[in-house]
């Protein structure tokens, strides 16, 4: 396959992510699309570690590491400072995990996008607090084991639909992307870069360590998440205009779940129920996009 | 030019004169007048600055951390709960060596809800690596704000300028508001030593191993020591232009004083009146006004009060399970001096309770008539 993405690399090799880390792939392609005129705000997440220890850095762009819950606010300040210095060229991007986006950083994110701050917020989603050792977040999907939802206490709540929450803020651009679809990802980041105001990109980033999958399955599982409609690829402009970017041929969620250790405890009945949930969500999305099943 | 303005207004004028570029704040009584005036200045073009109307105090300071990291001069103001909410990022600011300046209006912490003056909010932040300056009147507020930027940008540490709720923030006083030209001579444009820059990509605040971390923390300690020296130099530079000077501590009638009251904030003004009356009656009374709390000016304190017979510290704050916070620090400062005087700790004016002339006079007589403090803290007026 010939990948239509810029050749330039903004990530050095030798980062300290786990083997098969989806978040590392997500960063690599995102930076290819953003280019070197980028300042990154990096609240606490796996990437606080992956970027490497002082005095080295995996990234070739300026990075401002920040407190866990401050992704939206620090970026607001960076943008304001650049504006005051007359720098309209540099893109400000916040790079946060699901914990820093769905949970602890939710207030600052909502505040920043309500003000329509001119920046891109990227959430790379590995569906739990992976950096601290796989604890559940509000992004953890229904049915998942984590170290804080062990045994029979597996998560019985649905994953928070962060994309729709951002859409409700009526910001210029919201999109989902996935490490198994790099061309789509690069295209969406480039599109976001060309817009003004608050832009949000939600990237599915598999985590072999936390999901209990072999590292070589990282991209395969990510692809299956799209193919099963568990993580649809779509974008929403100005809070109203929905476009579904990929329409999969019916795959059953069962196949996706069976490959991952974090779902090992689920019964056939549980999987049927999850299939219904996924069908329901997909139907809802189609309706919003004005399409039929 | 002398103008009759509120303490809050004095803060805002200083921020305007300091040519601050990014302001970020969240409203809390009694800080609101500061940010209302600044909002107007940004809206009507009096100031060329961006005002970020964020959704919490935590985000207010976070936004400034982002802005200051990109090399611009910044400002925020808060009080009480707002400062407590910022706590995590107070540590972050000093750790990142960002010379952010904040006006902090001393207000009591809940519960129960109380908007009146009390120093526990700011003093509880003493270990966060912020320089803290306490002010007696609105002129000192304005002047301290200008000095704060000079000091912060010299030692790369943040500064908190602290003023009493209502007694300063909402009280009108004549204040000499300097001209822009005068202030420009004192405070040059901010020239950051480091900043986030796409031409010179660096990582800020990343993962750091223990050896390097400890060295960085030691550098902050050195910065604090330098702040004490720098403040003295800055006072001289300030005096040369404005003919006003504020020392880290001010000794009032202390040379021959037998009993010295140690005060901070507006209680100092009331105490000046008490001392005047007492001196008129032949009492050998003095005041040590504490302007600087961090860094704690140990040597200057020892020099000013070691000779006294008794020390009476008036604290409008309290550290539960210990004592008044100024008293604690003062006792520690005197401990390694020979034959130091006994330190009486008085708790007064908590939650905005009036600290009157009569109350301060009572503190003086109580100190004089008691040979040695038999308790760590004496709560006045309850």
């Amino acid at each position: 396959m010939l990948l239509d993405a810029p050749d330039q690399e903004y990530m050095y090799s030798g980062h300290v992510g786990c083997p098969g880390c989806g978040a590392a792939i997500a960063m690599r392609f995102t930076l290819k699309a953003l280019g070197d005129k980028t300042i990154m705000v990096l609240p606490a997440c796996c990437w606080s570690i992956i970027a490497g220890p002082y005095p080295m850095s995996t990234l070739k762009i300026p990075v401002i590491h920040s407190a866990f819950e401050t992704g939206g606010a620090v970026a607001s300040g960076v943008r304001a400072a650049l504006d005051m210095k007359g720098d309209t060229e540099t893109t400000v991007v916040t790079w946060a995990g699901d914990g820093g986006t769905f949970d602890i950083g939710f207030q600052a994110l909502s505040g920043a996008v309500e003000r329509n701050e001119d920046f891109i917020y990227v959430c790379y989603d590995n569906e739990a607090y992976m950096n601290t050792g796989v604890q559940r977040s509000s992004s953890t999907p229904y049915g998942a084991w984590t170290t804080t939802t062990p045994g029979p206490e597996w998560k019985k709540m649905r994953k928070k639909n962060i994309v729709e929450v951002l859409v409700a803020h009526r910001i210029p651009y919201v999109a989902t992307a996935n490490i198994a679809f790099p061309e789509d990802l690069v295209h969406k980041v480039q599109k976001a870069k060309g817009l003004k105001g608050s832009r949000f990109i939600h990237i599915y980033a598999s985590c072999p360590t936390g999901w209990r999958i072999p590292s070589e399955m990282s991209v395969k599982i990510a692809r299956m998440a799209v193919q099963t409609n568990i993580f649809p690829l779509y974008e929403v402009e100005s809070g109203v205009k929905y476009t579904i970017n990929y329409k999969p041929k019916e795959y059953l969620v069962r196949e996706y779940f069976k490959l991952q250790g974090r779902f090992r405890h689920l019964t056939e009945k549980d999987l049927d129920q999850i299939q219904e949930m996924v069908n329901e969500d997909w139907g809802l999305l189609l309706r919003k996009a004005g399409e039929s099943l | 030019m002398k103008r009759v303005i509120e303490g809050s207004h004095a803060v805002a004028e200083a921020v305007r004169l300091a040519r601050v570029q990014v302001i970020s704040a969240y409203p809390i009584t009694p800080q609101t007048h500061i940010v209302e005036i600044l909002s107007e200045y940004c809206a009507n073009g009096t100031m060329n600055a961006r005002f970020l109307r964020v959704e919490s105090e935590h985000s207010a300071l976070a936004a400034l951390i982002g802005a200051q990291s990109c090399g611009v001069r910044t400002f925020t103001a808060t009080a009480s709960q707002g400062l407590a909410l910022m706590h995590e990022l107070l540590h972050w600011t000093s750790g990142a060596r960002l010379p952010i300046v904040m006006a902090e209006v001393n207000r009591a912490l809940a519960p129960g809800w109380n908007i009146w003056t009390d120093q526990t909010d700011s003093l509880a932040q003493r270990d966060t690596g912020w320089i803290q300056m306490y002010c007696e009147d609105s002129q000192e507020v304005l002047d301290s704000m200008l000095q704060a930027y000079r000091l912060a940008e010299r030692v790369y540490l943040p500064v908190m300028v602290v003023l009493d709720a209502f007694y300063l923030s909402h009280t009108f006083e004549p204040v000499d508001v300097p001209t822009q030209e005068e202030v420009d001579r004192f405070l040059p444009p901010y020239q950051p030593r480091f900043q986030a820059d796409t031409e010179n990509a660096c990582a800020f605040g990343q993962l750091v191993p223990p050896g390097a971390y400890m060295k960085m923390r030691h550098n902050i300690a050195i910065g604090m020591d330098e702040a004490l020296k720098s403040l003295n130099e800055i006072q001289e530079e300030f005096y040369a232009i404005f003919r006003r000077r504020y020392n880290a501590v001010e000794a009032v009638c202390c040379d021959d004083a037998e009993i010295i009251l140690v005060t901070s904030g507006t209680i100092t003004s009331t105490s000046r009146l008490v001392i005047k009356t007492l001196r008129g009656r032949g009492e050998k009374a003095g005041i040590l006004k504490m302007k600087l709390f961090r860094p704690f000016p140990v040597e200057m304190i020892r020099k000013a009060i070691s000779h006294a017979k008794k020390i009476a510290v008036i604290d409008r704050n309290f550290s539960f399970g210990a004592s008044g916070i100024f008293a604690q620090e003062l006792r520690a400062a005197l401990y390694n001096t020979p034959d130091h005087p006994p330190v009486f700790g008085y708790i007064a004016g908590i939650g905005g309770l009036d600290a009157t002339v009569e109350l301060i006079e009572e503190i003086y007589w109580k100190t004089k008539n008691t040979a040695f403090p038999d308790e760590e803290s004496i709560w006045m007026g309850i």
Side-chain angles (χ1 to χ4, degrees):
Chain A
M1 185 182 77
L2 203 65
L3 179 63
D4 184 21
D7 292 333
Q8 190 68 35
E9 295 286 353
Y10 298 97
M11 232 176 101
Y12 293 99
S13 58
H15 66 75
V16 289
C18 304
C21 174
I25 300 169
M27 177 69 91
R28 182 174 168 225
F29 285 109
T30 302
L31 289 185
K32 276 177 178 286
L34 288 172
D36 60 356
K37 280 280 172 197
T38 302
I39 293 181
M40 180 170 280
V41 174
L42 192 57
C45 59
C46 284
W47 255 99
S48 310
I49 309 300
I50 301 170
Y54 171 86
M56 292 167 286
S57 178
T58 300
L59 300 173
K60 299 184 188 180
I61 55 162
V63 178
I64 300 171
H65 291 262
S66 71
F68 211 164
E69 66 281 51
T70 61
V74 173
S76 305
V78 170
R79 182 74 266 163
L82 296 179
D83 288 348
M84 286 307 298
K85 289 159 73 176
D87 177 355
T88 51
E89 197 191 349
T90 300
T91 303
V92 179
V93 59
T94 296
W95 183 264
D98 49 292
T101 303
F102 288 62
D103 295 343
I104 196 167
F106 185 66
Q107 176 182 317
L109 167 61
S110 176
V113 302
E114 183 272 332
R115 298 189 300 274
N116 199 23
E117 299 284 357
D118 185 22
F119 77 125
I120 301 174
Y121 190 108
V122 179
C123 169
Y124 68 96
D125 183 2
N126 51 28
E127 303 195 320
Y129 291 87
M130 296 312 188
N131 194 30
T132 45
V134 201
Q135 292 85 21
R136 80 69 106 185
S137 75
S138 62
S139 173
T140 302
Y142 181 94
W145 160 92
T146 67
T147 57
T148 51
T149 52
E153 292 291 312
W154 53 268
K155 193 178 168 193
K156 309 286 192 315
M157 305 88 188
R158 291 170 91 129
K159 178 185 175 97
K160 184 192 282 184
N161 191 335
I162 197 72
V163 174
E164 294 304 316
V165 173
L166 269 294
V167 167
H169 285 74
R170 290 278 193 121
I171 57 177
Y173 188 65
V174 178
T176 65
N178 183 304
I179 56 159
F181 295 81
E183 283 192 62
D184 177 76
L185 191 158
V186 168
H187 169 73
K188 282 170 175 168
V189 176
Q190 281 172 338
K191 184 172 178 179
K193 191 187 168 191
L195 296 168
K196 287 274 167 199
S198 296
R199 295 144 279 167
F200 182 85
I201 299 176
H202 182 204
I203 305 180
Y204 179 101
S206 38
C207 173
T209 311
W211 294 2
R212 303 299 192 244
I213 59 172
S215 56
E216 67 274 17
M217 293 277 278
S218 196
V219 174
K220 182 186 165 84
I221 297 275
R223 189 176 300 117
M224 289 176 76
V226 174
Q227 290 171 332
T228 53
N229 282 333
I230 286 169
F231 191 90
L233 291 178
Y234 70 109
E235 53 195 333
V236 186
E237 284 157 89
S238 304
V240 286
K241 192 180 165 228
Y242 281 71
T243 308
I244 297 173
N245 309 110
Y246 183 91
K247 288 217 196 119
K249 303 199 175 46
E250 291 286 316
Y251 278 87
L252 296 176
V253 297
R254 184 172 263 98
E255 296 167 49
Y256 172 85
F257 277 76
K258 290 279 188 197
L259 289 171
Q260 302 180 53
R262 63 174 171 158
F263 298 121
R264 199 174 43 202
H265 52 273
L266 297 177
T267 63
E268 291 298 313
K269 204 177 144 214
D270 294 329
L271 291 172
D272 287 342
Q273 197 192 338
I274 290 167
Q275 181 69 61
E276 277 174 38
M277 287 172 165
V278 170
N279 292 349
E280 186 189 42
D281 285 348
W282 176 245
L284 204 59
L285 179 62
L286 285 173
R287 278 214 300 284
K288 283 176 182 164
E291 300 185 31
S292 52
L293 274 167
Chain B
M1 189 179 70
K2 282 229 176 193
R3 289 164 58 190
V4 178
I5 55 174
E6 272 187 342
S8 296
H9 200 159
V11 173
E13 291 300 288
V15 173
R16 171 180 65 81
L17 290 164
R19 298 185 187 273
V20 166
Q21 292 154 289
V22 175
I23 300 165
S24 180
Y26 184 80
I28 180 169
T29 302
Q31 151 266 33
T32 39
H33 288 187
I34 298 171
V35 294
E36 282 167 12
I37 295 166
L38 289 172
S39 295
E40 272 187 44
Y41 284 174
C42 292
N44 66 21
T46 305
M47 282 182 78
N48 180 25
R50 275 286 303 277
F51 196 117
L52 292 165
R53 293 145 187 105
V54 289
E55 82 299 332
S56 76
E57 286 91 353
H58 197 277
S59 284
L61 189 50
L64 295 194
I65 286 169
Q68 191 88 39
S69 298
C70 294
V72 299
R73 193 173 277 160
T74 66
F75 172 77
T76 189
T78 191
S80 181
Q81 310 295 126
L83 185 67
L85 186 59
M86 284 179 180
H87 175 79
E88 179 200 23
L89 298 181
L90 295 177
H91 283 284
W92 197 286
T93 315
S94 57
R97 304 304 296 269
L98 297 173
I100 293 171
V101 172
M102 170 198 300
E104 176 359 73
V105 188
N106 270 146
R107 167 187 153 173
L109 287 154
W113 286 118
N114 178 316
I115 58 171
W116 311 106
T117 200
D118 188 304
Q119 298 172 323
T120 310
D121 59 348
S122 56
L123 291 171
Q125 307 300 344
R126 66 178 166 185
D127 301 332
T128 57
W130 281 62
I131 293 165
Q132 288 195 8
M133 295 178 179
Y134 288 77
C135 299
E136 184 184 351
D137 58 36
S138 294
Q139 186 69 61
E140 188 177 356
V141 167
L142 190 149
D143 294 347
S144 298
M145 283 292 303
L146 297 174
Q147 294 175 1
Y149 281 103
R150 199 69 209 285
L151 182 59
E153 292 166 12
R154 193 176 284 188
V155 298
Y156 286 91
L157 284 173
V159 180
M160 200 181 283
V161 174
V162 187
L163 57 152
D164 286 7
F166 300 101
Y167 294 126
L168 280 183
S169 66
H170 287 56
T171 301
F172 284 80
E173 288 183 325
V175 175
D176 185 6
V177 181
T179 63
Q180 186 66 64
E181 188 272 327
E182 287 172 318
V183 174
D184 287 348
R185 268 198 288 150
F186 173 71
L187 185 66
Y190 175 45
Q191 297 288 346
R193 188 170 53 179
F194 50 82
Q195 59 182 307
D197 177 8
T198 53
E199 298 298 315
N200 177 28
C202 293
F204 296 89
Q206 65 186 137
L207 196 64
V208 57
Y213 179 87
M214 187 158 170
K215 205 170 160 189
M216 288 172 184
R217 294 284 137 169
H218 184 234
N219 284 340
I220 296 173
I222 292 169
M224 270 290 179
D225 292 344
E226 279 172 6
L228 203 54
K229 261 186 282 164
S230 294
L231 187 63
N232 286 335
E233 292 160 16
I234 287 167
Q235 292 307 330
E236 294 315 312
E237 291 162 24
F238 191 85
Y239 183 80
I241 300 170
F242 304 100
R243 298 282 141 193
R244 290 185 295 273
R245 187 191 274 125
Y246 307 89
N247 291 326
V249 297
E250 180 191 342
V252 184
C253 305
C254 281
D255 288 349
D256 66 337
E258 292 177 358
I259 294 175
I260 295 175
L261 304 179
V262 179
T263 62
S264 57
T266 54
I267 284 183
T268 305
S269 302
T270 318
S271 301
R272 285 182 198 272
L273 194 65
V274 173
I275 293 301
K276 206 174 157 194
T277 314
L278 289 170
R279 282 268 163 183
R281 287 189 223 146
E283 293 296 322
K284 289 195 169 167
I287 301 172
L288 184 77
K289 167 186 161 175
M290 300 292 309
K291 177 182 177 59
L292 195 67
F293 176 70
R294 278 292 179 275
F296 201 66
V298 172
E299 284 306 323
M300 294 170 92
I301 292 167
R302 285 177 181 167
K303 208 171 145 210
I305 65 170
S306 293
H307 64 276
K309 286 192 178 145
K310 289 172 187 172
I311 306 297
V313 185
I314 307 177
D315 270 302
R316 187 170 235 156
N317 62 77
F318 199 71
S319 171
F320 297 112
S323 66
I325 295 168
F326 277 101
Q328 245 176 48
E329 298 270 337
L330 205 98
R331 286 178 182 126
L334 292 179
Y335 186 77
N336 279 344
T337 57
D339 305 321
H340 53 259
V343 176
F344 291 72
Y346 294 96
I347 310 303
I350 297 289
L353 194 69
D354 242 359
T356 60
V357 167
E358 294 73 28
L359 186 103
I360 293 166
E361 213 170 300
E362 191 187 335
I363 287 172
Y364 176 83
W365 291 115
K366 225 178 169 76
T367 309
K368 183 162 183 175
N369 298 331
T370 314
F372 198 79
D374 48 11
E375 46 187 337
E376 287 284 295
S377 306
I378 302 151
W379 287 65
M380 301 296 294
I382 52 168

